[in-house]
Amino acid sequence: MRYLAPDSPDRNAPSNPLAAYGIKAIDLGDQYSSAIFSKLVPGARVVKALNHVDANVLPQPEVAGGQRAMFYAGDDAAAKADVRKLLETVGYFAVDLGTLDVGGPLMQLPFGPLAMSNFAKV
């Protein structure tokens, strides 16, 4: 994704599903963003989380009488355990989607099947 200047014609283009957020998706081909990021930080323990929902709902882990589900995925079990603990401490219902190869594309903006989905455990 790339951020758009306020006067960019792409900022309000009806064909840009992320225009409201001031960003435009870049075609990554067969790759997904977490895989690209992981290659840029060799040796890092990467866990993808907190990015499948609208940023405006992040301060609201309690919803509809329950807990908002927050997905996460990663390849390092210890790092995922740390992220799960953080999510639960903040009040979310943490849902492990598996490895980055599996869970990353599921929640990737803008077209992952779980992107912009709001689920709650009641």
Side-chain angles (χ1 to χ4, degrees):
M1 287 190 255
R2 66 179 170 96
Y3 290 94
L4 303 171
D7 59 345
S8 169
D10 288 330
R11 190 166 186 104
N12 296 316
S15 62
N16 179 5
L18 300 173
Y21 302 99
I23 54 179
K24 182 174 182 174
I26 296 172
D27 184 0
L28 301 176
D30 293 340
Q31 298 184 68
Y32 59 96
S33 60
S34 298
I36 293 170
F37 180 77
S38 293
K39 289 177 188 173
L40 294 173
V41 289
R45 301 177 334 151
V46 177
V47 178
K48 184 179 185 98
L50 296 165
N51 70 327
H52 74 277
V53 297
D54 185 315
N56 294 314
V57 304
L58 287 176
Q60 305 160 8
E62 296 178 11
V63 63
Q67 294 172 283
R68 186 179 310 279
M70 189 58 64
F71 304 122
Y72 67 101
D75 297 332
D76 182 289
K80 284 177 36 175
D82 290 343
V83 170
R84 179 183 196 98
K85 183 177 179 181
L86 174 69
L87 292 173
E88 290 173 345
T89 298
V90 174
Y92 290 109
F93 179 71
V95 179
D96 186 347
L97 295 179
T99 64
L100 282 175
D101 285 346
V102 174
L106 290 174
M107 60 180 135
Q108 180 168 297
L109 291 173
F111 303 117
L114 296 175
M116 301 308 282
S117 295
N118 278 296
F119 297 99
K121 178 186 179 235
V122 290

